Amino acid sequence: MPELPEVETTVAGLRPVLEGNRLTLVEPRRADLRRPIPADLRQRMTGARVIGLTRRAKYGLIETDRGDVMIFHLGMSGRWRIDPAELEKHDHLLLETQENRRLVLNDPRRFGSLDLVRADEVDAFGPFAAMGPEPLSDAFNGAYLKAVTKGRKAPIKQLLLDQRNVAGLGNIYVCEALHMAGILPSRMGGGISKPRYDKLVEAIKIVLDAAIAAGGSSLRDFVQPDGELGYFSKEWLVYGREGEDCACGAPVLRKVDSGRSTFYCRKCQS
Ligand SMILES: [Zn+2]
């Protein structure tokens, strides 16, 4: 499942193909993904020039010179393919540029989404309206996390996955960062000290930056046509390692809560 670093890497991969270029073809190939694709997407995007690509949480934003922003989410299985040799069943959006580059958004499970909003309305876009700060921004720091969790009895892991507290953090990165910071996932958010929150924020940024860097290096390997953007694998310290040894020698434990796995080390984390 694509998480924040994968989306960041995807946007970086799309940028050289799209930025500054005019879209000569914009063709939705079905009416909906998780929700309907805007009926006027083709008309508003065709002929427009792409002026910028950015990321917000797990969404990619493609802005045009007409003041529109196409917002995509990769859901569980979405990925972009660059210059595919041929179209496949699950290619739901086809773009072509003036340079005859082709991009398709492929999403077999269709949990992703495509939306189109005016550039000055991006902040008010439904999923963004109540969203917390970006985890890699300066606004996300120990003091902020201490303040936003004040009096909260919920486990810190749950608070970090709540998009209202911090945008775009997923299960893998929360497990890894809590391990790096030495904090038990089940610890009550309101009871964690400021120094520990400082350490946690630092760990979150390190884990995300490392994943983005790994994605960037795997991106450079996409020299062949049909390069698929969106996924890369990485070695995790605790995630997916139940029963294996943590670096400290103790076994990595796994706890399942409402269908979601938490991986942690009882010796390293308290
Ligand atoms: Zn350990």
Side-chain angles (χ1 to χ4, degrees):
M1 176 163 163
E3 299 242 19
L4 185 154
E6 283 89 344
V7 179
E8 180 80 24
T9 304
T10 295
V11 168
L14 295 176
R15 193 170 285 129
V17 181
L18 287 177
E19 199 164 54
N21 289 326
R22 201 169 287 287
L23 298 169
T24 49
L25 182 88
V26 177
E27 185 185 295
R29 305 184 74 235
R30 54 175 298 122
D32 61 340
L33 295 173
R34 181 173 54 193
R35 52 178 175 266
I37 295 172
D40 56 356
L41 184 88
R42 177 200 306 259
Q43 177 243 322
R44 279 163 67 180
M45 297 288 285
T46 305
R49 186 181 298 277
V50 175
I51 58 170
L53 293 96
T54 50
R55 177 194 57 74
R56 172 79 170 121
K58 295 184 210 174
Y59 291 82
L61 285 72
I62 300 174
E63 184 172 1
T64 76
D65 60 354
R66 291 179 183 166
D68 286 321
V69 181
M70 186 176 85
I71 302 175
F72 67 85
H73 191 284
L74 298 172
M76 306 281 286
S77 59
R79 65 186 73 203
W80 285 90
R81 302 195 301 132
I82 298 181
D83 296 329
E86 47 194 58
L87 296 185
E88 293 173 2
K89 183 178 172 195
H90 300 293
D91 291 338
H92 304 312
L93 176 71
L94 168 63
L95 304 178
E96 285 179 12
T97 74
Q98 68 196 34
E99 295 183 318
N100 292 318
R101 302 297 299 274
R102 281 184 129 192
L103 288 170
V104 293
L105 177 62
N106 182 284
D107 187 359
R109 297 180 65 184
R110 300 205 305 269
F111 282 109
S113 59
L114 279 172
D115 292 284
L116 192 60
V117 302
R118 297 296 294 168
D120 56 3
E121 289 168 359
V122 166
D123 289 344
F125 173 60
F128 297 166
M131 215 174 241
E134 284 290 319
L136 291 170
S137 72
D138 291 341
F140 183 66
N141 53 48
Y144 166 80
L145 208 44
K146 179 73 185 157
V148 84
T149 56
K150 187 166 185 243
R152 299 294 302 270
K153 292 190 166 61
I156 182 57
K157 186 186 176 209
Q158 189 184 316
L159 294 171
L160 291 175
L161 289 172
D162 184 337
Q163 306 294 299
R164 290 168 296 187
N165 296 328
V166 53
L169 279 190
N171 197 31
I172 296 174
Y173 298 96
V174 167
C175 288
E176 290 289 310
L178 285 167
H179 177 260
M180 184 181 283
I183 298 172
L184 266 187
S186 57
R187 187 156 292 283
M188 195 196 298
I192 296 173
S193 70
K194 166 73 165 47
R196 296 195 89 194
Y197 271 134
D198 288 339
K199 205 172 167 192
L200 177 57
V201 165
E202 194 190 344
I204 288 169
K205 292 177 197 266
I206 289 172
V207 166
L208 290 175
D209 278 335
I212 290 168
S217 55
S218 73
L219 198 63
R220 282 192 287 276
D221 299 333
F222 287 126
V223 285
Q224 79 280 25
D226 247 21
E228 292 184 352
L229 299 178
Y231 296 106
F232 44 89
S233 56
K234 197 183 170 297
E235 282 292 300
W236 305 114
L237 292 175
V238 284
Y239 189 84
R241 302 187 78 114
E242 181 190 14
E244 295 177 39
D245 285 352
C246 173
C248 73
V252 172
L253 305 176
R254 172 173 177 243
K255 203 159 68 182
V256 181
D257 192 16
S258 47
R260 199 175 243 149
S261 290
T262 298
F263 298 90
Y264 62 106
C265 171
R266 197 67 190 80
K267 192 173 165 192
C268 293
Q269 296 170 255
S270 61

